[in-house]
């Protein structure tokens, strides 16, 4: 499951922009074989008086924390490729905004401690996972 949490100052995203960004992210993960329902995107608005970069309040900032659970990068080159892939996803939504400070990082979490609706997800690429992709829902396997 990729979980994307956007911590951002007010006015960065409209409701329509949030929806478009969440759909854009989900589309990318679906293209690499994950069920759409694996992808969760959260937007957490943070007041500039609570958003500090370098010890100073930030008027326009976005900090994105991404948790990858369904898949893990096996080596440094794969991790760098994943970072570039994410950067390409984000750039159209974040560049060109005056004075915006934005950054992201990715954590890889053990899939052993992950469940959806009380069900441990099937192994990546398995027939059971492909069934989850087809139905876009968790089901016993």
């Amino acid at each position: 499951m990729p979980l994307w949490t956007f911590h951002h100052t007010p006015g960065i995203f409209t409701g329509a922009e949030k929806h478009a960004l969440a759909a854009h992210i989900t589309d990318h993960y679906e293209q690499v074989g994950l069920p759409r329902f694996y992808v969760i995107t959260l937007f957490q608005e943070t007041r500039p008086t609570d958003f500090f970069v370098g010890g100073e309040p930030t008027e326009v900032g976005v900090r994105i924390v991404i948790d990858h659970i369904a898949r893990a990068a096996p080596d440094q080159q794969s991790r760098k490729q994943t970072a570039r892939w994410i950067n390409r996803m984000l750039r159209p939504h974040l560049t060109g905004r005056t004075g915006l400070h934005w950054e992201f990082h990715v954590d890889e979490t053990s899939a052993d401690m992950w469940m959806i609706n009380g069900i441990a997800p099937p192994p990546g690429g398995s027939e059971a996972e492909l069934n989850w992709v087809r139905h876009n829902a968790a089901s016993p396997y």
Side-chain angles (χ1 to χ4, degrees):
M1 169 239 340
L3 168 62
W4 288 52
T5 304
F6 287 77
H7 301 277
H8 62 89
T9 53
I12 300 293
F13 303 109
T14 66
E17 288 170 330
K18 290 175 186 178
H19 190 183
L21 182 52
H24 184 74
I25 292 165
T26 301
D27 291 346
H28 276 72
Y29 283 99
E30 182 181 40
Q31 289 171 6
V32 297
L34 293 184
R36 290 184 71 81
F37 74 94
Y38 273 19
V39 185
I40 297 174
T41 309
L42 304 173
F43 292 87
Q44 301 290 321
E45 191 170 284
T46 304
R47 299 176 306 188
T49 56
D50 294 325
F51 196 120
F52 290 79
V53 175
E56 298 297 325
T58 300
E59 291 298 317
V60 285
V62 177
R63 182 65 168 87
I64 305 145
V65 178
I66 304 165
D67 292 305
H68 276 177
I69 301 172
R71 302 289 190 276
D75 54 43
Q76 183 181 27
Q77 183 170 337
S78 295
R79 288 187 295 276
K80 287 182 177 184
Q81 183 177 348
T82 297
R84 288 190 301 269
W85 180 67
I86 290 167
N87 193 45
R88 285 191 306 272
M89 267 191 264
L90 291 171
R91 285 180 97 40
H93 300 275
L94 298 172
T95 56
R97 297 171 186 252
T98 305
L100 178 65
H101 173 91
W102 65 278
E103 62 182 271
F104 69 87
H105 83 273
V106 180
D107 287 324
E108 292 183 335
T109 303
S110 170
D112 297 334
M113 298 181 66
W114 171 38
M115 291 190 168
I116 298 175
N117 295 344
I119 304 168
S126 67
E127 185 57 39
E129 186 185 60
L130 293 174
N131 189 49
W132 284 27
V133 170
R134 282 190 290 276
H135 295 96
N136 196 34
S139 60
Y141 59 97

